[in-house]
Amino acid sequence: MRAPFTLSLVLLLGAAAPVSAAAPHGIELADLDRTVDPCSDFFGFANGTWRANNPIPASLSRWSRRWQAGESSKEKLKDLLEASMKNTAAAKGSTDQLIGDFYGACMDEPRVNARGATPLTPWFAKIDRIKDVAGLQSVLTDLHDVGLYVPFNLTGQQDPHRPVHILANLGATGFNLPERDYYLKPDVRFKEAREKYEAHVAAMFQLAGWKTKAAGDGARVVMAMETKFAEAYLDNVSLRNPAATDHNTTFTGLVAMVPHFDWAAYFRHKQLPQDVDMNVDQPKFMQEFDRQLEQTSIDDWKTYLKWQVLTWSAGALSAPFVEANFGFYGHYLAGAAELKPRWKRCVESTDRLLGEALGKKYVDKYFPPEAKARMQELVRNLLLAMRDDVLSRPWMSDETKERAMAKITTFNPKVGYPDTWKDYSAIDVKRDAYFENFIAASRFAVEDDRRTIGKPVDRGRWGLTPPTSDAYYNPLLNEIVFPAGILQPPAFSVDAVDAVNYGAIGVVIGHEISHGFDDQGAQYDFLGRLRNWWTDADLAQFKERGACVVDQFDHYLIDGGLPHNGKLVLGESIGDLGGAKLAFLAFRKSMEGKPRPANVDGFTSEQQFFIAWGQFRGDAIRPEQQKLMIQTDPHPIAKYRVIGPLSNLLEFREAWSCKADAPMVRPEDKRCEVW
Ligand SMILES: [Zn+2]
């Protein structure tokens, strides 16, 4: 998906501490810091003691009970993979053969190390043979075939005007610092990142056998070309606007936009007819690509491409490449002190490339049907709460309410795992060739995606693998998706009290539902079409409510004093605010007509609900990672995902009997409410 898709797919993970058995009710009393007043700093109160006693592991950039649960899932995946590895009788193409050999080849570190940079030889040789733009195009096409999409990509995407149909989407890539500001802004932190990046590129070239001077010159070429691409790229806030990347284009229009690329040959190779429906995310970027095709020397393009191959495949190469790559991206940019153990990197790589084969084994063993049933019930109740909430909005006209209702009734929840599983049996996976396995599996993923173009949408596809500890909303399918990996404590447990399930996963469900009605999601109608369904007056009211949230988060500083960008985190913050409120409404409704649940250690059910949210969102985050997040992540840091929404809720104030001027109670003229 393009811009509207806000997933946190990049999990920087490492050594896991053992997970203590959760108390049956689900509230972690020992995590509370009772020296902190809940009305002053609820984040500190809810889990300050846990954070004080559980420093972030050296190989990670953030840490909480939720991250810990994600790490322990990896240990389960490791056990499954080791069992598959030992099944030497597994037939070629069977799940055990595919995942066992993939993981086994990755774990054969001596062999990977002994090969050094040699797996790159055929790729570098191809690049060296380039003599002209036609040769350059031929190599770009080969790289695209294995998923190295530079400087643009071609993927199957739902047509935002006809979401039942998959069109060919040309997206912009082109550079490898986290975001365009890193190339362009004069601030010290960006300037330093540029210097470190250029040094990193040079160091990687040297590892690949280049002499010092050539490596330094090469790094400057890479920096210059990537900077030009960054200049033509949209900024992080503009990228949140679906209209900014909505450019339906004909083949003739594309040729006019990028005349120096042989699109006829490219489409032929991709087996796409020229009259295929097509969108170009960023025409200005594509024009810059064309300019560089014409004006950048072939030698510079060769250097640029070698760098792209090198940085893209670094994780599949020998230890020096892996370590240098970690030194820049993991250590310098994200603050982790050490590399994750190899087994964990190999688990992640298998999950990334053969995720549904591994994921099926995971859910068979660890995701019982009763968990799915309980979760489906929670989703139903949250959707009912959203319906009640929308109907009670005093500022919304009946006309807009009716359209919102249509959207709520067509929400499609997916829970746990896909109904049909991807068949990876065509991938040639070998026990002794990790790099080649990586290429083969990436090639499969590209082809699997390409085949969707020009066809009706397949509603059964998933954007996350089943063991992933995350969730998402897709506005074009109007679907909310919760993989099995997130459906474990501290988010969810069939044994926990309702207050905890509603306060943790319930808020997550409400958050994903609210994405359907955030600054992006509200632009899509009940059929997933990018189409305004609001009356002008209602839209103005909605935007005014969003502006309140933007202002709130503009004032939240990370460690070190830099502010959040309220516009960048608006969608996620509307999600959290709406999510907390909807889950609370649904929870209260679930208690109607029943005897009042018992207090836990003196905490009422309402208080337990809020503690559960605070404990689920309890991340300690390294300062480097916080700096990276305010630039690249539409999610605020965890502290403000707790304090931000709860300080807007009168229900929170009431549950904790906070005074009107308490820090966790926003003054009336600054209190935000969207849903
Ligand atoms: Zn979200």
Side-chain angles (χ1 to χ4, degrees), residues 16 100 113 178 268 319:
N113 284 344
R268 220 165 27 245

Side-chain angles (χ1 to χ4, degrees), residues 133-428:
V133 171
L136 170 62
Q137 166 153 1
S138 150
V139 173
L140 279 181
T141 306
D142 285 350
L143 295 175
H144 284 196
D145 282 348
V146 298
L148 174 47
Y149 277 124
V150 285
F152 69 91
N153 63 22
L154 173 99
T155 55
Q157 308 274 4
Q158 277 177 266
D159 182 344
H161 305 283
R162 194 161 57 112
V164 292
H165 180 73
I166 302 290
L167 50 63
N169 191 75
L170 292 165
T173 59
F175 53 83
N176 292 286
L177 276 167
E179 195 260 324
R180 83 190 282 274
D181 282 357
Y182 282 82
Y183 290 90
L184 306 176
K185 288 243 167 118
D187 314 35
V188 176
R189 66 191 160 119
F190 296 127
K191 197 166 161 285
E192 183 193 86
R194 288 195 283 276
E195 285 162 14
K196 299 258 187 200
Y197 177 61
E198 202 173 301
H200 167 61
V201 178
M204 290 282 278
F205 277 146
Q206 281 184 269
L207 286 176
W210 296 23
K211 297 251 164 32
T212 314
K213 174 155 188 330
D217 291 347
R220 273 187 293 282
V221 166
V222 168
M223 197 67 196
M225 288 180 71
E226 291 195 351
T227 301
K228 284 291 176 194
F229 283 126
E231 277 171 9
Y233 202 86
L234 288 172
D235 66 71
N236 54 15
V237 170
S238 302
L239 275 171
R240 289 191 52 72
N241 176 10
T245 51
D246 179 30
H247 307 282
N248 220 284
T249 308
T250 60
F251 185 82
T252 320
L254 180 65
V255 171
M257 194 186 295
V258 189
H260 293 91
F261 197 72
D262 182 354
W263 291 104
Y266 185 80
F267 273 51
R268 220 165 27 245
H269 178 83
K270 285 288 181 188
Q271 301 173 51
L272 295 175
Q274 292 186 3
D275 62 355
V276 71
D277 288 316
M278 181 173 27
N279 181 70
V280 175
D281 275 352
Q282 301 193 35
K284 190 176 154 211
F285 180 93
M286 295 305 281
Q287 285 160 355
E288 171 58 23
F289 169 50
D290 190 68
R291 191 197 65 75
Q292 294 212 38
L293 276 179
E294 194 195 6
Q295 296 177 12
T296 302
S297 72
I298 290 295
D299 277 349
D300 285 359
W301 269 107
K302 289 181 181 178
T303 302
Y304 173 84
L305 289 184
K306 284 181 182 172
W307 165 244
Q308 306 302 329
V309 171
L310 202 46
T311 190
W312 174 69
S313 64
L317 294 170
S318 60
F321 292 96
V322 172
E323 281 158 17
N325 187 56
F326 166 77
F328 182 72
Y329 288 105
H331 176 60
Y332 171 66
L333 283 179
E338 64 185 44
L339 189 61
K340 283 175 267 187
R342 184 157 190 99
W343 72 261
K344 198 168 282 189
R345 287 180 274 131
C346 291
V347 164
E348 288 170 4
S349 167
T350 316
D351 176 53
R352 201 160 41 239
L353 288 164
L354 300 170
E356 290 193 12
L358 176 57
K360 179 162 191 326
K361 283 197 176 261
Y362 176 86
V363 298
D364 284 349
K365 186 154 181 189
Y366 296 108
F367 190 62
E370 57 267 31
K372 185 161 179 160
R374 179 82 183 94
M375 182 64 187
Q376 284 167 328
E377 182 196 330
L378 283 165
V379 172
R380 261 194 311 276
N381 290 347
L382 262 296
L383 282 168
L384 288 174
M386 183 67 184
R387 194 199 60 178
D388 292 350
D389 180 76
V390 167
L391 290 175
S392 70
R393 288 307 85 201
W395 51 269
M396 209 183 214
S397 68
D398 288 347
E399 198 182 338
T400 307
K401 277 179 185 170
E402 199 176 306
R403 293 184 188 144
M405 281 307 117
K407 190 157 171 169
I408 293 167
T409 47
T410 52
F411 255 91
N412 178 32
K414 291 178 173 173
V415 174
Y417 50 88
D419 292 333
T420 49
W421 299 88
K422 252 187 223 309
D423 175 7
Y424 299 100
S425 58
I427 307 177
D428 183 18

Side-chain angles (χ1 to χ4, degrees), residues 6 471-473 511-512 515 518 571-572 575-576 635 641:
T6 50
Y472 67 87
Y473 170 69
H511 170 106
E512 301 305 339
H515 273 321
D518 72 11
E572 296 302 330
D576 285 339
H635 301 85
R641 300 191 67 178

Side-chain angles (χ1 to χ4, degrees), residues 454-484:
K455 304 220 174 82
V457 66
D458 173 1
R459 292 178 183 276
R461 281 169 88 93
W462 280 54
L464 290 175
T465 67
T468 309
S469 174
D470 209 338
Y472 67 87
Y473 170 69
N474 176 348
L476 291 148
L477 285 174
N478 200 28
E479 66 177 12
I480 41 177
V481 184
F482 306 94

